[in-house]
Amino acid sequence: MKQEVEIMLKSKEINPTVNRMLVLDYLLELKSSISLTDLELSLESFDRVTLYRTLKTFEERGLVHKIEDGMGITKFAICQDSCEAGMHHDLHVHFYCHSCKQTFCLPKTQIPEVKLPENYQRQEMELIVKGICSVCVK
Amino acid sequence: MKQEVEIMLKSKEINPTVNRMLVLDYLLELKSSISLTDLELSLESFDRVTLYRTLKTFEERGLVHKIEDGMGITKFAICQDSCEAGMHHDLHVHFYCHSCKQTFCLPKTQIPEVKLPENYQRQEMELIVKGICSVCVK
DNA sequence: TAAACATTGCAATACAGTTGCATGCCGTTT
DNA sequence: AAACGGCATGCAACTGTATTGCAATGTTTA
């Protein structure tokens, strides 16, 4: 497992330090996305700034992507395989649960095509659905 | 014009103070949405906190709605007629322009239907398209 | 008029995001 | 081995937005 994480980092040209392997390992296990603050609480061994820079590095190298959770908090999640550095293919839907405050990627739910008014040029899209997730609904 | 603004406020059971009439008037003229900070810069006559509370009141009474602009900034825009206090029908698309940093409501562009995985309950949706707006594209 | 309530401004706090700088580690060069 | 460079990390500090507390002022009501 550690081996696998190390290989992932190297394949993105990221120096596999202990910190970075721990963070990546944590993110890979994670079912949803996570904010910097929550990551800090989960991995107490490292400084907030270090985690901040780790996530920033991961994002720049196309390992994770940022999600605006629709409540003003930035969260991070592992990219799909199809992502590359500087070019995220992140057109799936994100789901924010009002109950557990988690933000889930719904990779199987594509954002439908949207027609824009004339002369509007699209570059990215974000679709956030808010409600109650399948765990909290029970 | 002032009269109209006053009537709007009263119809939402908001005391029409000078401050509130100015803010509402400004929002009605506005083609896009605005952040608290930008509103503060536009209407220098009032304290930031007062404007903050004004927008909060407006939102609670269903006069404006919050928009997450997708870059972590909260903005406000006048609601459509169909909105009521505590129940915003805000299912249209928002467009964030990377060039002028403005966030536009595109009321004629409906969010297409999205199928969620089983047991996910939808309450609200936000679709933010980012790119270049029709003014900046020229 | 006095009491009650609403509105506003100032100060202070909370918190996410971010930057600067010093330190320590590691591999390379001389 | 010693000196050098680059990278990773931690601490402190700063920025900007959001938010609350409290006092002062203004307005309504009994």
Side-chain angles (χ1 to χ4, degrees):
Chain A
M1 160 160 42
K2 273 279 173 65
Q3 188 105 24
E4 186 195 333
V5 166
E6 193 174 336
I7 291 171
M8 274 189 76
L9 287 170
K10 285 182 177 169
S11 79
K12 297 287 184 178
E13 296 184 339
I14 300 170
N15 211 341
T17 66
V18 176
N19 160 43
R20 288 166 178 170
M21 288 200 286
L22 276 176
V23 171
L24 180 53
D25 191 52
Y26 186 86
L27 290 175
L28 285 170
E29 296 294 321
L30 197 66
K31 295 287 179 294
S32 68
S33 57
I34 192 167
S35 68
L36 174 57
T37 300
D38 287 342
L39 186 63
E40 190 189 1
L41 294 174
S42 304
L43 301 178
E44 291 188 11
S45 43
F46 285 90
D47 187 81
R48 177 183 183 80
V49 178
T50 300
L51 296 176
Y52 166 75
R53 287 196 261 238
T54 299
L55 290 172
K56 198 176 173 191
T57 301
F58 283 8
E59 199 211 354
E60 285 164 1
R61 305 292 166 92
L63 209 47
V64 304
H65 59 259
K66 264 190 201 170
I67 307 168
E68 289 293 324
D69 77 346
M71 302 293 283
I73 302 292
T74 303
K75 294 182 177 176
F76 296 85
I78 289 287
C79 281
Q80 306 300 307
D81 288 339
S82 59
C83 288
E84 297 160 28
M87 184 55 191
H88 296 290
H89 303 109
D90 186 28
L91 286 182
H92 58 269
V93 175
H94 293 121
F95 187 93
Y96 176 83
C97 176
H98 281 298
S99 175
C100 63
K101 317 289 186 210
Q102 289 196 76
T103 303
F104 302 90
C105 292
L106 302 180
K108 291 180 182 167
T109 311
Q110 289 287 319
I111 298 183
E113 198 52 32
V114 172
K115 280 195 184 128
L116 295 178
E118 209 170 345
N119 288 325
Y120 279 74
Q121 290 193 353
R122 167 187 15 248
Q123 289 174 348
E124 303 125 61
M125 285 205 290
E126 273 183 47
L127 176 51
I128 301 159
V129 182
K130 300 179 191 175
I132 308 294
C133 76
S134 60
V135 174
C136 292
V137 83
K138 287 167 189 166
Chain B
M1 161 161 42
K2 271 277 172 66
Q3 187 106 22
E4 186 194 334
V5 166
E6 194 174 336
I7 292 172
M8 272 190 76
L9 286 170
K10 284 182 177 169
S11 78
K12 296 286 185 179
E13 297 184 337
I14 300 170
N15 212 343
T17 65
V18 176
N19 160 43
R20 288 166 180 170
M21 287 198 287
L22 276 176
V23 172
L24 180 54
D25 192 52
Y26 186 85
L27 289 175
L28 285 169
E29 296 295 321
L30 197 67
K31 295 287 179 295
S32 67
S33 56
I34 193 167
S35 68
L36 175 58
T37 299
D38 288 341
L39 186 63
E40 190 189 2
L41 294 173
S42 303
L43 302 177
E44 291 188 12
S45 44
F46 286 90
D47 188 81
R48 177 183 183 80
V49 178
T50 299
L51 296 175
Y52 166 76
R53 287 194 263 237
T54 299
L55 290 172
K56 198 177 173 189
T57 301
F58 283 7
E59 199 212 351
E60 286 164 1
R61 305 293 167 90
L63 208 49
V64 304
H65 59 258
K66 263 190 204 171
I67 306 169
E68 289 294 325
D69 77 345
M71 303 293 283
I73 302 290
T74 303
K75 295 184 176 174
F76 296 85
I78 290 287
C79 282
Q80 304 301 307
D81 288 339
S82 60
C83 287
E84 299 161 26
M87 183 57 190
H88 297 288
H89 304 110
D90 184 28
L91 287 182
H92 58 268
V93 174
H94 292 122
F95 187 93
Y96 176 83
C97 176
H98 282 299
S99 176
C100 62
K101 318 289 187 207
Q102 288 195 78
T103 303
F104 302 90
C105 292
L106 302 180
K108 292 179 181 167
T109 311
Q110 289 287 319
I111 298 184
E113 198 52 33
V114 171
K115 280 195 185 129
L116 295 178
E118 208 170 346
N119 288 326
Y120 278 74
Q121 289 192 353
R122 165 183 24 245
Q123 288 173 349
E124 303 126 62
M125 284 205 291
E126 273 183 46
L127 176 51
I128 301 158
V129 182
K130 299 180 191 172
I132 309 294
C133 77
S134 62
V135 173
C136 292
V137 83
K138 285 166 189 167

